[in-house]
Amino acid sequence: MTDLPEVVLGRGDYVAGGARSQPFLDLDGARRRRPMVFGEVFGIASQCDPLAASMFSGRASDPAEWAVMWKEIGADGVCVRTSGMTPDDALGVVSAVSERTRLPVAVSGEQEVLSHVADGISGTILLMLGADDSACGMHAVASRISSTKEARALPPRANRMILIEGRFPEESPYRLAIDVRKLGLEGTEGCTAPIVFDATPVWADGFPDARVASMVEAESALTAMLSGADALIIRGPGAADMARVYGEELADL
């Protein structure tokens, strides 16, 4: 087994990755670190599921305010969805979110938008949720590295993360996360980067109310954590709360 690389996020105050064993097993000095929680924000607020938007006390109409609420809830970072936005509009939203929250910001969108945002952001590490195939056949997450001493010291393979999307209770995405973690620990090229698990696809199933939606998304997040996810993308604040508590409990076992 090999220690997996770490990725330093935000302004050097968040770290993802670095696994030394299968998740939450005290093998080879496993790190006591819970997975990070990224709260989802839509640059175009109307694209958000109305049920999810209703859980943010009206602040989902303004992406920066929405992101601030995620920080108040206790999220470790913010995932900004930029679908349908121009590159300049996306840069404006991401810049506002980064400055208002000072949290790590993940950006999802078209490659042209991602490149423009990456070129316009400084002083932070920006995760870019892209569509480049990794060596494992998954979607890769390219990282934008700041010019800090800590960022320059990162190993080259650490400057990316592996994105897996899952819809609970389908087994295949979680099995994929388990297999990727195992291959990474064995040193397989392309599988050593931290795993980001997007739990938001569960919302496509439709729910009668926010409480039910949050419970199902939290189940997806918990299963992802047990499968080896280093970070989670969450849509509902209730699910984010549960994911953070579950993660802290598991890390303390």
Side-chain angles (χ1 to χ4, degrees), residues 165-191:
E165 297 177 312
R167 180 179 292 185
F168 190 82
E170 294 177 3
E171 181 182 358
S172 55
Y174 308 102
R175 173 53 56 183
L176 189 56
I178 292 171
D179 291 343
V180 170
R181 170 61 66 84
K182 180 176 183 294
L183 290 170
L185 291 168
E186 293 172 353
T188 301
E189 181 73 8
C191 296

PDB file of all heavy atoms in Angstrom, residues 165-191:
ATOM      1  N   GLU A 165     -20.275  10.563  -9.928  1.00  0.00           N
ATOM      2  CA  GLU A 165     -21.657  10.968  -9.676  1.00  0.00           C
ATOM      3  C   GLU A 165     -22.478   9.737  -9.329  1.00  0.00           C
ATOM      4  O   GLU A 165     -22.334   8.685  -9.957  1.00  0.00           O
ATOM      5  CB  GLU A 165     -22.240  11.661 -10.909  1.00  0.00           C
ATOM      6  CG  GLU A 165     -21.526  12.952 -11.268  1.00  0.00           C
ATOM      7  CD  GLU A 165     -22.084  13.569 -12.529  1.00  0.00           C
ATOM      8  OE1 GLU A 165     -22.255  12.841 -13.522  1.00  0.00           O
ATOM      9  OE2 GLU A 165     -22.371  14.775 -12.518  1.00  0.00           O
ATOM     10  N   GLY A 166     -23.341   9.859  -8.341  1.00  0.00           N
ATOM     11  CA  GLY A 166     -24.115   8.697  -7.924  1.00  0.00           C
ATOM     12  C   GLY A 166     -25.561   9.008  -7.616  1.00  0.00           C
ATOM     13  O   GLY A 166     -25.883  10.086  -7.128  1.00  0.00           O
ATOM     14  N   ARG A 167     -26.416   8.054  -7.929  1.00  0.00           N
ATOM     15  CA  ARG A 167     -27.827   8.182  -7.580  1.00  0.00           C
ATOM     16  C   ARG A 167     -28.207   7.015  -6.665  1.00  0.00           C
ATOM     17  O   ARG A 167     -28.231   5.863  -7.072  1.00  0.00           O
ATOM     18  CB  ARG A 167     -28.707   8.168  -8.835  1.00  0.00           C
ATOM     19  CG  ARG A 167     -30.203   8.305  -8.496  1.00  0.00           C
ATOM     20  CD  ARG A 167     -31.067   8.307  -9.740  1.00  0.00           C
ATOM     21  NE  ARG A 167     -30.854   9.508 -10.525  1.00  0.00           N
ATOM     22  CZ  ARG A 167     -31.562   9.797 -11.615  1.00  0.00           C
ATOM     23  NH1 ARG A 167     -32.489   8.969 -12.043  1.00  0.00           N
ATOM     24  NH2 ARG A 167     -31.326  10.918 -12.272  1.00  0.00           N
ATOM     25  N   PHE A 168     -28.465   7.322  -5.419  1.00  0.00           N
ATOM     26  CA  PHE A 168     -28.817   6.315  -4.423  1.00  0.00           C
ATOM     27  C   PHE A 168     -30.171   5.695  -4.799  1.00  0.00           C
ATOM     28  O   PHE A 168     -31.084   6.415  -5.211  1.00  0.00           O
ATOM     29  CB  PHE A 168     -28.903   6.991  -3.046  1.00  0.00           C
ATOM     30  CG  PHE A 168     -29.035   6.036  -1.901  1.00  0.00           C
ATOM     31  CD1 PHE A 168     -27.917   5.422  -1.379  1.00  0.00           C
ATOM     32  CD2 PHE A 168     -30.276   5.751  -1.353  1.00  0.00           C
ATOM     33  CE1 PHE A 168     -28.037   4.543  -0.315  1.00  0.00           C
ATOM     34  CE2 PHE A 168     -30.397   4.878  -0.295  1.00  0.00           C
ATOM     35  CZ  PHE A 168     -29.279   4.264   0.229  1.00  0.00           C
ATOM     36  N   PRO A 169     -30.375   4.370  -4.681  1.00  0.00           N
ATOM     37  CA  PRO A 169     -29.472   3.372  -4.102  1.00  0.00           C
ATOM     38  C   PRO A 169     -28.707   2.548  -5.130  1.00  0.00           C
ATOM     39  O   PRO A 169     -28.311   1.413  -4.835  1.00  0.00           O
ATOM     40  CB  PRO A 169     -30.454   2.485  -3.334  1.00  0.00           C
ATOM     41  CG  PRO A 169     -31.661   2.455  -4.222  1.00  0.00           C
ATOM     42  CD  PRO A 169     -31.737   3.822  -4.872  1.00  0.00           C
ATOM     43  N   GLU A 170     -28.489   3.061  -6.359  1.00  0.00           N
ATOM     44  CA  GLU A 170     -27.713   2.318  -7.340  1.00  0.00           C
ATOM     45  C   GLU A 170     -26.341   1.973  -6.773  1.00  0.00           C
ATOM     46  O   GLU A 170     -25.671   2.818  -6.194  1.00  0.00           O
ATOM     47  CB  GLU A 170     -27.559   3.136  -8.624  1.00  0.00           C
ATOM     48  CG  GLU A 170     -28.866   3.368  -9.369  1.00  0.00           C
ATOM     49  CD  GLU A 170     -28.676   4.234 -10.602  1.00  0.00           C
ATOM     50  OE1 GLU A 170     -27.511   4.598 -10.887  1.00  0.00           O
ATOM     51  OE2 GLU A 170     -29.685   4.545 -11.255  1.00  0.00           O
ATOM     52  N   GLU A 171     -25.908   0.765  -6.957  1.00  0.00           N
ATOM     53  CA  GLU A 171     -24.669   0.311  -6.335  1.00  0.00           C
ATOM     54  C   GLU A 171     -23.423   0.710  -7.112  1.00  0.00           C
ATOM     55  O   GLU A 171     -22.370   0.977  -6.513  1.00  0.00           O
ATOM     56  CB  GLU A 171     -24.692  -1.217  -6.196  1.00  0.00           C
ATOM     57  CG  GLU A 171     -23.439  -1.780  -5.543  1.00  0.00           C
ATOM     58  CD  GLU A 171     -23.458  -3.293  -5.463  1.00  0.00           C
ATOM     59  OE1 GLU A 171     -24.448  -3.898  -5.881  1.00  0.00           O
ATOM     60  OE2 GLU A 171     -22.462  -3.853  -4.982  1.00  0.00           O
ATOM     61  N   SER A 172     -23.497   0.794  -8.439  1.00  0.00           N
ATOM     62  CA  SER A 172     -22.291   0.917  -9.262  1.00  0.00           C
ATOM     63  C   SER A 172     -21.414   2.129  -8.942  1.00  0.00           C
ATOM     64  O   SER A 172     -20.183   1.991  -8.905  1.00  0.00           O
ATOM     65  CB  SER A 172     -22.654   0.904 -10.746  1.00  0.00           C
ATOM     66  OG  SER A 172     -23.601   1.894 -11.057  1.00  0.00           O
ATOM     67  N   PRO A 173     -21.972   3.332  -8.686  1.00  0.00           N
ATOM     68  CA  PRO A 173     -21.068   4.461  -8.388  1.00  0.00           C
ATOM     69  C   PRO A 173     -20.273   4.253  -7.107  1.00  0.00           C
ATOM     70  O   PRO A 173     -19.096   4.631  -7.030  1.00  0.00           O
ATOM     71  CB  PRO A 173     -22.022   5.660  -8.249  1.00  0.00           C
ATOM     72  CG  PRO A 173     -23.281   5.238  -8.911  1.00  0.00           C
ATOM     73  CD  PRO A 173     -23.370   3.772  -8.719  1.00  0.00           C
ATOM     74  N   TYR A 174     -20.895   3.652  -6.112  1.00  0.00           N
ATOM     75  CA  TYR A 174     -20.218   3.434  -4.838  1.00  0.00           C
ATOM     76  C   TYR A 174     -19.171   2.331  -4.969  1.00  0.00           C
ATOM     77  O   TYR A 174     -18.086   2.420  -4.388  1.00  0.00           O
ATOM     78  CB  TYR A 174     -21.244   3.102  -3.759  1.00  0.00           C
ATOM     79  CG  TYR A 174     -22.359   4.109  -3.705  1.00  0.00           C
ATOM     80  CD1 TYR A 174     -23.608   3.833  -4.260  1.00  0.00           C
ATOM     81  CD2 TYR A 174     -22.160   5.373  -3.151  1.00  0.00           C
ATOM     82  CE1 TYR A 174     -24.622   4.770  -4.250  1.00  0.00           C
ATOM     83  CE2 TYR A 174     -23.174   6.318  -3.133  1.00  0.00           C
ATOM     84  CZ  TYR A 174     -24.404   6.008  -3.692  1.00  0.00           C
ATOM     85  OH  TYR A 174     -25.404   6.942  -3.696  1.00  0.00           O
ATOM     86  N   ARG A 175     -19.502   1.303  -5.741  1.00  0.00           N
ATOM     87  CA  ARG A 175     -18.527   0.253  -6.002  1.00  0.00           C
ATOM     88  C   ARG A 175     -17.333   0.821  -6.757  1.00  0.00           C
ATOM     89  O   ARG A 175     -16.187   0.458  -6.499  1.00  0.00           O
ATOM     90  CB  ARG A 175     -19.199  -0.863  -6.817  1.00  0.00           C
ATOM     91  CG  ARG A 175     -18.256  -1.964  -7.312  1.00  0.00           C
ATOM     92  CD  ARG A 175     -17.422  -2.582  -6.217  1.00  0.00           C
ATOM     93  NE  ARG A 175     -18.245  -3.116  -5.136  1.00  0.00           N
ATOM     94  CZ  ARG A 175     -17.749  -3.654  -4.023  1.00  0.00           C
ATOM     95  NH1 ARG A 175     -16.433  -3.682  -3.848  1.00  0.00           N
ATOM     96  NH2 ARG A 175     -18.549  -4.120  -3.083  1.00  0.00           N
ATOM     97  N   LEU A 176     -17.597   1.747  -7.670  1.00  0.00           N
ATOM     98  CA  LEU A 176     -16.525   2.399  -8.421  1.00  0.00           C
ATOM     99  C   LEU A 176     -15.598   3.158  -7.480  1.00  0.00           C
ATOM    100  O   LEU A 176     -14.368   3.091  -7.617  1.00  0.00           O
ATOM    101  CB  LEU A 176     -17.136   3.349  -9.447  1.00  0.00           C
ATOM    102  CG  LEU A 176     -16.203   3.982 -10.477  1.00  0.00           C
ATOM    103  CD1 LEU A 176     -15.450   2.920 -11.258  1.00  0.00           C
ATOM    104  CD2 LEU A 176     -17.004   4.873 -11.425  1.00  0.00           C
ATOM    105  N   ALA A 177     -16.172   3.872  -6.513  1.00  0.00           N
ATOM    106  CA  ALA A 177     -15.349   4.610  -5.552  1.00  0.00           C
ATOM    107  C   ALA A 177     -14.467   3.651  -4.745  1.00  0.00           C
ATOM    108  O   ALA A 177     -13.285   3.937  -4.498  1.00  0.00           O
ATOM    109  CB  ALA A 177     -16.239   5.430  -4.619  1.00  0.00           C
ATOM    110  N   ILE A 178     -15.027   2.534  -4.333  1.00  0.00           N
ATOM    111  CA  ILE A 178     -14.251   1.536  -3.583  1.00  0.00           C
ATOM    112  C   ILE A 178     -13.096   1.021  -4.419  1.00  0.00           C
ATOM    113  O   ILE A 178     -11.953   0.917  -3.957  1.00  0.00           O
ATOM    114  CB  ILE A 178     -15.163   0.366  -3.154  1.00  0.00           C
ATOM    115  CG1 ILE A 178     -16.178   0.833  -2.109  1.00  0.00           C
ATOM    116  CG2 ILE A 178     -14.329  -0.800  -2.608  1.00  0.00           C
ATOM    117  CD1 ILE A 178     -17.241  -0.199  -1.789  1.00  0.00           C
ATOM    118  N   ASP A 179     -13.392   0.701  -5.692  1.00  0.00           N
ATOM    119  CA  ASP A 179     -12.354   0.156  -6.572  1.00  0.00           C
ATOM    120  C   ASP A 179     -11.259   1.177  -6.847  1.00  0.00           C
ATOM    121  O   ASP A 179     -10.065   0.841  -6.885  1.00  0.00           O
ATOM    122  CB  ASP A 179     -12.984  -0.298  -7.893  1.00  0.00           C
ATOM    123  CG  ASP A 179     -13.886  -1.516  -7.729  1.00  0.00           C
ATOM    124  OD1 ASP A 179     -13.772  -2.182  -6.685  1.00  0.00           O
ATOM    125  OD2 ASP A 179     -14.686  -1.782  -8.638  1.00  0.00           O
ATOM    126  N   VAL A 180     -11.658   2.459  -7.033  1.00  0.00           N
ATOM    127  CA  VAL A 180     -10.671   3.501  -7.294  1.00  0.00           C
ATOM    128  C   VAL A 180      -9.753   3.689  -6.091  1.00  0.00           C
ATOM    129  O   VAL A 180      -8.528   3.811  -6.225  1.00  0.00           O
ATOM    130  CB  VAL A 180     -11.356   4.837  -7.660  1.00  0.00           C
ATOM    131  CG1 VAL A 180     -10.345   5.978  -7.694  1.00  0.00           C
ATOM    132  CG2 VAL A 180     -12.042   4.713  -9.008  1.00  0.00           C
ATOM    133  N   ARG A 181     -10.335   3.716  -4.890  1.00  0.00           N
ATOM    134  CA  ARG A 181      -9.514   3.860  -3.684  1.00  0.00           C
ATOM    135  C   ARG A 181      -8.530   2.689  -3.571  1.00  0.00           C
ATOM    136  O   ARG A 181      -7.341   2.881  -3.269  1.00  0.00           O
ATOM    137  CB  ARG A 181     -10.409   3.929  -2.446  1.00  0.00           C
ATOM    138  CG  ARG A 181      -9.686   3.844  -1.096  1.00  0.00           C
ATOM    139  CD  ARG A 181      -8.689   4.969  -0.875  1.00  0.00           C
ATOM    140  NE  ARG A 181      -9.305   6.259  -0.760  1.00  0.00           N
ATOM    141  CZ  ARG A 181      -9.815   6.757   0.369  1.00  0.00           C
ATOM    142  NH1 ARG A 181      -9.775   6.047   1.476  1.00  0.00           N
ATOM    143  NH2 ARG A 181     -10.341   7.957   0.377  1.00  0.00           N
ATOM    144  N   LYS A 182      -9.003   1.486  -3.831  1.00  0.00           N
ATOM    145  CA  LYS A 182      -8.135   0.305  -3.752  1.00  0.00           C
ATOM    146  C   LYS A 182      -6.997   0.403  -4.764  1.00  0.00           C
ATOM    147  O   LYS A 182      -5.835   0.176  -4.433  1.00  0.00           O
ATOM    148  CB  LYS A 182      -8.960  -0.961  -4.001  1.00  0.00           C
ATOM    149  CG  LYS A 182      -8.153  -2.262  -3.942  1.00  0.00           C
ATOM    150  CD  LYS A 182      -9.071  -3.461  -4.114  1.00  0.00           C
ATOM    151  CE  LYS A 182      -8.301  -4.772  -3.985  1.00  0.00           C
ATOM    152  NZ  LYS A 182      -7.330  -4.966  -5.093  1.00  0.00           N
ATOM    153  N   LEU A 183      -7.331   0.773  -6.010  1.00  0.00           N
ATOM    154  CA  LEU A 183      -6.306   0.893  -7.040  1.00  0.00           C
ATOM    155  C   LEU A 183      -5.313   2.005  -6.699  1.00  0.00           C
ATOM    156  O   LEU A 183      -4.111   1.870  -6.932  1.00  0.00           O
ATOM    157  CB  LEU A 183      -6.965   1.177  -8.391  1.00  0.00           C
ATOM    158  CG  LEU A 183      -7.751   0.015  -9.009  1.00  0.00           C
ATOM    159  CD1 LEU A 183      -8.561   0.499 -10.211  1.00  0.00           C
ATOM    160  CD2 LEU A 183      -6.815  -1.116  -9.419  1.00  0.00           C
ATOM    161  N   GLY A 184      -5.833   3.088  -6.132  1.00  0.00           N
ATOM    162  CA  GLY A 184      -4.953   4.180  -5.748  1.00  0.00           C
ATOM    163  C   GLY A 184      -3.954   3.765  -4.691  1.00  0.00           C
ATOM    164  O   GLY A 184      -2.763   4.097  -4.773  1.00  0.00           O
ATOM    165  N   LEU A 185      -4.421   3.032  -3.692  1.00  0.00           N
ATOM    166  CA  LEU A 185      -3.541   2.567  -2.625  1.00  0.00           C
ATOM    167  C   LEU A 185      -2.489   1.598  -3.150  1.00  0.00           C
ATOM    168  O   LEU A 185      -1.408   1.456  -2.566  1.00  0.00           O
ATOM    169  CB  LEU A 185      -4.360   1.908  -1.515  1.00  0.00           C
ATOM    170  CG  LEU A 185      -5.240   2.857  -0.690  1.00  0.00           C
ATOM    171  CD1 LEU A 185      -6.219   2.073   0.166  1.00  0.00           C
ATOM    172  CD2 LEU A 185      -4.383   3.773   0.181  1.00  0.00           C
ATOM    173  N   GLU A 186      -2.812   0.957  -4.263  1.00  0.00           N
ATOM    174  CA  GLU A 186      -1.850   0.051  -4.899  1.00  0.00           C
ATOM    175  C   GLU A 186      -0.916   0.787  -5.851  1.00  0.00           C
ATOM    176  O   GLU A 186      -0.043   0.181  -6.462  1.00  0.00           O
ATOM    177  CB  GLU A 186      -2.607  -1.052  -5.652  1.00  0.00           C
ATOM    178  CG  GLU A 186      -3.368  -1.997  -4.728  1.00  0.00           C
ATOM    179  CD  GLU A 186      -4.264  -2.958  -5.478  1.00  0.00           C
ATOM    180  OE1 GLU A 186      -4.394  -2.807  -6.723  1.00  0.00           O
ATOM    181  OE2 GLU A 186      -4.827  -3.862  -4.841  1.00  0.00           O
ATOM    182  N   GLY A 187      -1.135   2.113  -6.010  1.00  0.00           N
ATOM    183  CA  GLY A 187      -0.253   2.913  -6.831  1.00  0.00           C
ATOM    184  C   GLY A 187      -0.620   2.982  -8.296  1.00  0.00           C
ATOM    185  O   GLY A 187       0.193   3.418  -9.123  1.00  0.00           O
ATOM    186  N   THR A 188      -1.851   2.611  -8.652  1.00  0.00           N
ATOM    187  CA  THR A 188      -2.268   2.635 -10.052  1.00  0.00           C
ATOM    188  C   THR A 188      -2.329   4.055 -10.577  1.00  0.00           C
ATOM    189  O   THR A 188      -2.972   4.921  -9.980  1.00  0.00           O
ATOM    190  CB  THR A 188      -3.645   1.969 -10.223  1.00  0.00           C
ATOM    191  OG1 THR A 188      -3.566   0.612  -9.765  1.00  0.00           O
ATOM    192  CG2 THR A 188      -4.082   1.977 -11.689  1.00  0.00           C
ATOM    193  N   GLU A 189      -1.685   4.315 -11.695  1.00  0.00           N
ATOM    194  CA  GLU A 189      -1.653   5.639 -12.306  1.00  0.00           C
ATOM    195  C   GLU A 189      -3.073   6.142 -12.589  1.00  0.00           C
ATOM    196  O   GLU A 189      -3.906   5.429 -13.124  1.00  0.00           O
ATOM    197  CB  GLU A 189      -0.867   5.588 -13.626  1.00  0.00           C
ATOM    198  CG  GLU A 189      -0.734   6.911 -14.344  1.00  0.00           C
ATOM    199  CD  GLU A 189       0.249   7.857 -13.665  1.00  0.00           C
ATOM    200  OE1 GLU A 189       0.942   7.421 -12.726  1.00  0.00           O
ATOM    201  OE2 GLU A 189       0.323   9.021 -14.084  1.00  0.00           O
ATOM    202  N   GLY A 190      -3.352   7.389 -12.226  1.00  0.00           N
ATOM    203  CA  GLY A 190      -4.652   7.984 -12.483  1.00  0.00           C
ATOM    204  C   GLY A 190      -5.680   7.734 -11.399  1.00  0.00           C
ATOM    205  O   GLY A 190      -6.763   8.313 -11.444  1.00  0.00           O
ATOM    206  N   CYS A 191      -5.368   6.899 -10.414  1.00  0.00           N
ATOM    207  CA  CYS A 191      -6.347   6.568  -9.373  1.00  0.00           C
ATOM    208  C   CYS A 191      -5.919   7.034  -7.988  1.00  0.00           C
ATOM    209  O   CYS A 191      -6.580   6.706  -7.005  1.00  0.00           O
ATOM    210  CB  CYS A 191      -6.594   5.058  -9.342  1.00  0.00           C
ATOM    211  SG  CYS A 191      -7.325   4.404 -10.850  1.00  0.00           S
TER     212      CYS A 191
END
